[in-house]
Amino acid sequence: MVMSTASKGLEGVVAAETELSFIDGVKGVLEYVGIEIDDLARNSTFEEVVFLLWNKRLPSQGELNSFTSELRGQYEISDTVLSRIKDLPTSAQPMHALRTMISYLALEDSDPNSTKPEEVQRKALGILAKAPAIVAAFDRHRRGEKFIPPDTSLSFAANFLKMLNGKAPTETMERAFDVCMILHADHGLNASTFTARVIISTLSDIYSTMTGAIGALRGPLHGGANEGVMVMLNEISSVAAAEDYVMGKMTRKEKIMGFGHRVYKAYDPRATYLKTLAEQLAKDTGNSDLYEKSHAVEQVMEREVAAKGIYPNVDFYSATTYHCIGLELDLFTPMFALSRISGWAGHGLEQLEANRLIRPTAEYTGPHGVAYVPIGQR
Ligand code: ACO
C-alpha cells in the first residue's frame, strides 16, 4: 500500500505497534505497559521500570533483586574503555563522547551482531549499566579529576551521582534523580526511538541501534531541548525580565525551548510531575529564583499560546531539576540518554519479536527525462 502524499514530519503516521508506552496527547496521559506514569514516579524505581519495559510486566521481588544485581554486576567499564575516554579531547561535548563510547563498547564484544532476543537483552543491560560510568568518567576527565569507580552497592541513580561528584548523594537527591530516570525512560515512537527501531529492523546490532538513537536524541528539537531551556533561563536576568524575553522571542518567531510537543496538545504529564519536583528541589537548594523564572516563562506562554495546545514538555522543568541536582548544563541531554537507553532497548526487543524491515517510500518531486550533459559542456 502506497500513500500518495507525504506527511511532513510523518505526523499522524502509525509506523509501528507497541505495548510499551501509551500516550493520550489530548488528555495528557502517559502509561508504561498500562501503568500511569504518575503511579510509577511515586512508587517505583528506575530498575523496576527497566524490567517492566523489557518484560512487559512488573517483576516479583526475587526477579527485581536478581535483575538489579545483574545490572550492578555490569557497572564497571574496562581499563581500555577508560583509557579511550581519557584520549577524548576535553573540549568535546558529553553527548558526542557518550555516542562515541557506546559505539566503542561493540569492539569489546566478541559477538556484537547477535539479534537473538536474550543476547540483545544481555548486551542492552551491559550498555545501560556502563553508560553512567562513561558519562561520569568523561566529565571528570575534562575537569582534570580522577575517575571514581562504580559502587555496586548503590542504585543506578546513586551510583551515577557518586561517580560524578565523588560522594554518594543524599536520599532526596537520589530519589529526585531516580524519578527523572523513570519519567524519561520511554515515550512512544519519538524521533530517537523510531531511529532505534529503523536501525534494528535491518538486523543491525544493538550497539549501532543505541549509537544512532543517541545521535537523534541530541538535536535541540528533541532531547537537546533541556539544555536549550537552561541556556534560556540563564539569559533571563530576573523574574521580572521573563515577560519581555519571551515576547521578544515570539515576535521574532523563535521557539521557546521546552514548550510544545508533536503528540501532547495538553500538559505533558511528565512536566506536571517535574514541576512539583523542581519547585521543591529549588527551595531545598537555594535555587528558588530559577524556579520562579521558569514559572514566569510558563505564565507568559500560557497566556500567549496555550490555546494553540502549546504547554511545557518534559524538558522544561527537567532543566531546573537537573541544575538543582548539581549537573553541568551540557550533561542534561546525556541524562536523558542514560534513561532512554532502557526505552530504546525495549523497542529494539519488541521490533525483533515480529521484525519487518522499516523502509517507507518517498514522494518523488523532482524532474523526469533530464538529458545527461557531459561535464565539459556544463
Ligand atoms: N515556542 C513557540 N511556538 C511554538 C513552539 C515553541 N516551543 N512549539 C511549537 N510552536 C508553534 C510553531 O511556531 C507553530 O506555529 P504556527 O502554526 O503559527 O506556525 C506551531 O506551534 C506548530 O509547531 P511545529 O514546530 O510545526 O510543531 P511540531 O509538532 O513539528 O513540533 C516540537 C514539535 C519540535 C517539539 C516543537 O514544539 C518545538 O520545536 N519545541 C521546542 C523544542 C522542544 O522543546 N523540544 C522537545 C520536545 S519533547 C522531547 O523531544 C523530549
Side-chain angles (χ1 to χ4, degrees):
M1 184 193 59
V2 178
M3 282 163 69
S4 56
T5 42
S7 162
K8 207 161 180 220
L10 296 186
E11 184 165 8
V13 173
V14 177
E17 287 183 1
T18 184
E19 294 172 349
L20 298 185
S21 49
F22 167 78
I23 306 164
D24 183 329
V26 177
K27 293 190 185 138
V29 173
L30 170 62
E31 296 170 349
Y32 294 166
V33 197
I35 306 174
E36 279 210 31
I37 194 68
D38 193 56
D39 210 358
L40 290 166
R42 278 176 209 290
N43 301 308
S44 188
T45 60
F46 179 58
E47 284 81 349
E48 187 176 53
V49 163
V50 179
F51 186 100
L52 174 69
L53 291 172
W54 292 2
N55 297 280
K56 300 185 180 175
R57 63 175 177 82
L58 288 170
S60 67
Q61 187 62 58
E63 286 172 324
L64 181 60
N65 293 348
S66 66
F67 182 73
T68 302
S69 91
E70 270 177 58
L71 188 72
R72 292 181 185 193
Q74 294 280 323
Y75 277 174
E76 209 167 300
I77 49 174
S78 70
D79 290 345
T80 320
V81 167
L82 185 57
S83 128
R84 291 292 84 82
I85 292 172
K86 288 180 182 164
D87 287 343
L88 296 173
T90 51
S91 59
Q93 291 169 14
M95 276 302 271
H96 291 292
L98 178 64
R99 190 197 59 237
T100 303
M101 294 315 302
I102 294 293
S103 180
Y104 187 89
L105 292 181
L107 312 184
E108 292 199 329
D109 187 333
S110 56
D111 179 23
N113 298 342
S114 174
T115 50
K116 282 194 201 128
E118 62 281 7
E119 277 297 297
V120 171
Q121 185 158 330
R122 198 178 57 75
K123 293 171 198 304
L125 188 94
I127 296 170
L128 178 69
K130 289 171 177 37
I134 290 172
V135 176
F138 174 69
D139 187 58
R140 292 187 73 85
H141 156 62
R142 68 180 177 163
R143 286 191 269 139
E145 289 177 15
K146 264 183 79 183
F147 174 61
I148 293 174
D151 182 339
T152 55
S153 72
L154 297 179
S155 68
F156 184 89
N159 173 51
F160 170 69
L161 293 174
K162 183 179 172 194
M163 286 189 293
L164 193 72
N165 299 324
K167 58 178 189 332
T170 62
E171 236 174 78
T172 315
M173 286 301 173
E174 176 184 358
R175 183 62 193 145
F177 191 72
D178 196 55
V179 167
C180 288
M181 293 293 103
I182 293 173
L183 296 176
H184 287 85
D186 193 43
H187 204 243
L189 211 56
N190 59 85
S192 56
T193 301
F194 184 54
T195 305
R197 288 189 83 127
V198 169
I199 295 174
I200 211 151
S201 85
T202 69
L203 298 184
S204 183
D205 59 283
I206 189 72
Y207 299 97
S208 301
T209 301
M210 296 290 175
T211 305
I214 292 171
L217 183 75
R218 201 195 65 77
L221 295 187
H222 189 11
N226 57 12
E227 291 179 17
V229 172
M230 198 64 215
V231 170
M232 172 177 80
L233 293 174
N234 286 338
E235 282 171 1
I236 300 174
S237 56
S238 65
V239 176
E243 168 86 27
D244 286 352
Y245 181 92
V246 174
M247 291 312 292
K249 274 198 171 279
M250 301 287 274
T251 311
R252 295 190 299 275
K253 299 241 169 276
E254 289 170 19
K255 287 205 172 140
I256 308 294
M257 291 292 116
F259 283 83
H261 200 278
R262 175 61 63 77
V263 182
Y264 291 119
K265 300 306 165 200
Y267 215 101
D268 181 332
R270 301 166 299 174
T272 311
Y273 201 93
L274 280 163
K275 183 177 176 179
T276 314
L277 192 62
E279 184 176 15
Q280 188 55 51
L281 279 179
K283 210 180 280 170
D284 294 351
T285 57
N287 284 298
S288 287
D289 193 48
L290 189 63
Y291 174 78
E292 293 306 331
K293 273 199 266 180
S294 314
H295 193 232
V297 170
E298 185 189 341
Q299 282 177 319
V300 181
M301 288 297 277
E302 191 176 348
R303 188 190 68 215
E304 295 295 320
V305 292
K308 280 170 78 179
I310 299 170
Y311 292 94
N313 58 47
V314 68
D315 289 321
F316 190 62
Y317 283 106
S318 62
T320 303
T321 305
Y322 288 146
H323 180 82
C324 294
I325 291 175
L327 298 170
E328 287 293 328
L329 191 157
D330 62 2
L331 291 181
F332 291 9
T333 314
M335 296 309 97
F336 197 152
L338 291 190
S339 164
R340 190 55 65 84
I341 285 171
S342 64
W344 296 328
H347 278 268
L349 290 164
E350 194 175 55
Q351 179 67 32
L352 290 172
E353 272 171 27
N355 188 49
R356 186 157 190 236
L357 174 73
I358 299 174
R359 202 292 187 197
T361 310
E363 183 187 0
Y364 178 70
T365 57
H368 292 282
V370 180
Y372 177 79
V373 180
I375 197 158
Q377 294 169 26
R378 286 175 217 161

